[in-house]
């Protein structure tokens, strides 16, 4: 940042002292308001970006964007501005890469990135696979199927499944395991040793 200060002093001409004072004030603001957010910002980037090796570079890019924007106008809420900048940078990176890995972000709709629709052949294959899974699911015992659907389709926790089915969490685990094994047997023909119910 000292290079920036030197360049601006030279370009300022007669108003060099005013520009120097502004930049020093900006620099002090950055040290006081932005840098203390580094730990939480780093954690945010680690949680929302697929490649942890990129985090240091992303952090520096965010700092550059924030510093440059604050030259024109300082944000009212520094923390909100920094995290909005971080989010926008991640969105730009995903768009630029034209790769939308599921682990990059939790909510793809929040990105505003249009996902490419699968072609007719891929849709047909996916529908056929779904039919096979559904047929296998219908062939497993009712209680295993109920636990499987509540846990894997309705996204309930094991505790919630146990409460809904009026059974213990261990029994839910058993139903999920045996249900998955039976579905695998039906889909892939690899029989598993049957275990007694707990």
């Amino acid at each position: 940042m000292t290079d920036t200060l030197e360049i601006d002093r030279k370009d300022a001409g007669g108003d060099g002292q005013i520009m120097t004072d502004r930049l020093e004030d900006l620099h002090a603001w950055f040290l006081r308001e932005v840098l203390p957010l580094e730990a939480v910002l780093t954690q945010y980037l680690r949680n929302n970006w697929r490649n942890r090796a990129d985090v240091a570079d992303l952090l520096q890019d965010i700092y550059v964007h924030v510093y440059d924007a604050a030259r024109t106008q300082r944000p009212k809420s520094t923390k909100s501005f920094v995290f909005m900048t971080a989010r926008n940078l991640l969105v730009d990176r995903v768009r630029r890469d034209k790769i939308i890995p599921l682990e990059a972000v939790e909510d793809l709709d929040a990105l505003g990135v249009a996902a490419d629709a699968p072609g007719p052949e891929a849709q047909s294959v996916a529908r056929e696979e779904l039919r096979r899974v559904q047929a296998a699911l219908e062939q497993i015992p009712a209680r295993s199927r109920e636990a499987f659907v509540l846990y894997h389709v309705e996204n309930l926790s094991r505790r919630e499944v146990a409460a809904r089915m009026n059974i213990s969490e261990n029994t839910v685990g058993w139903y999920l395991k045996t249900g998955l094994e039976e579905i695998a047997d039906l889909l892939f023909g690899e029989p598993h040793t049957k275990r007694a119910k707990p």
Side-chain angles (χ1 to χ4, degrees), residues 6-20:
E6 291 301 321
I7 292 168
D8 287 332
R9 283 184 190 149
K10 292 175 189 172
D11 293 343
D15 295 328
Q17 186 59 42
I18 294 171
M19 290 299 292
T20 301

Side-chain angles (χ1 to χ4, degrees), residues 162-180:
R164 178 92 56 98
M165 294 179 68
N166 199 26
I167 57 177
S168 73
E169 286 185 55
N170 287 338
T171 305
V172 170
W174 184 84
Y175 280 136
L176 291 173
K177 181 182 181 317
T178 58
L180 187 58

Side-chain angles (χ1 to χ4, degrees), residues 145-157 160-161 164:
R145 179 174 52 248
E146 183 181 3
F148 189 90
V149 169
L150 290 172
Y151 185 76
H152 290 288
V153 177
E154 295 185 23
N155 292 322
L156 297 181
S157 69
E160 292 168 325
V161 173
R164 178 92 56 98

Side-chain angles (χ1 to χ4, degrees), residues 3 32 43 61 65 76 108 115 151 158 173-174 180 183:
D3 295 339
R32 183 181 65 249
Q43 188 62 43
D61 288 348
H65 281 83
K76 290 180 182 179
L108 294 177
Y151 185 76
R158 285 187 182 208
W174 184 84
L180 187 58
I183 289 172

Side-chain angles (χ1 to χ4, degrees), residues 41-154:
L41 181 58
T42 300
Q43 188 62 43
Y44 172 81
L45 293 171
R46 285 183 181 150
N47 290 338
N48 290 288
W49 191 249
R50 68 190 174 278
N51 187 353
R52 289 187 177 213
D54 293 341
V55 168
D57 290 337
L58 288 166
L59 194 61
Q60 292 306 311
D61 288 348
I62 292 164
Y63 286 160
V64 168
H65 281 83
V66 167
Y67 192 87
D68 286 344
R71 287 176 143 201
T72 309
Q73 180 179 357
R74 301 232 182 104
K76 290 180 182 179
S77 170
T78 301
K79 185 175 182 180
S80 296
F81 182 70
V82 167
F83 281 91
M84 182 182 67
T85 302
R87 180 194 172 280
N88 290 342
L89 182 66
L90 293 178
V91 169
D92 289 345
R93 289 263 177 119
V94 169
R95 284 182 179 153
R96 186 185 70 211
D97 292 345
K98 293 187 180 180
I99 298 172
I100 306 176
L102 293 179
E103 60 272 3
V105 289
E106 289 184 22
D107 186 5
L108 294 177
D109 292 337
L111 285 176
V113 177
D116 293 333
E121 185 177 324
Q123 288 179 2
S124 177
V125 169
R127 275 195 294 272
E128 181 58 33
E129 288 176 0
L130 184 59
R131 278 190 212 102
R132 288 184 64 223
V133 170
Q134 188 173 13
L137 190 57
E138 290 172 3
Q139 293 179 43
I140 68 173
R143 295 294 275 176
S144 289
R145 179 174 52 248
E146 183 181 3
F148 189 90
V149 169
L150 290 172
Y151 185 76
H152 290 288
V153 177
E154 295 185 23

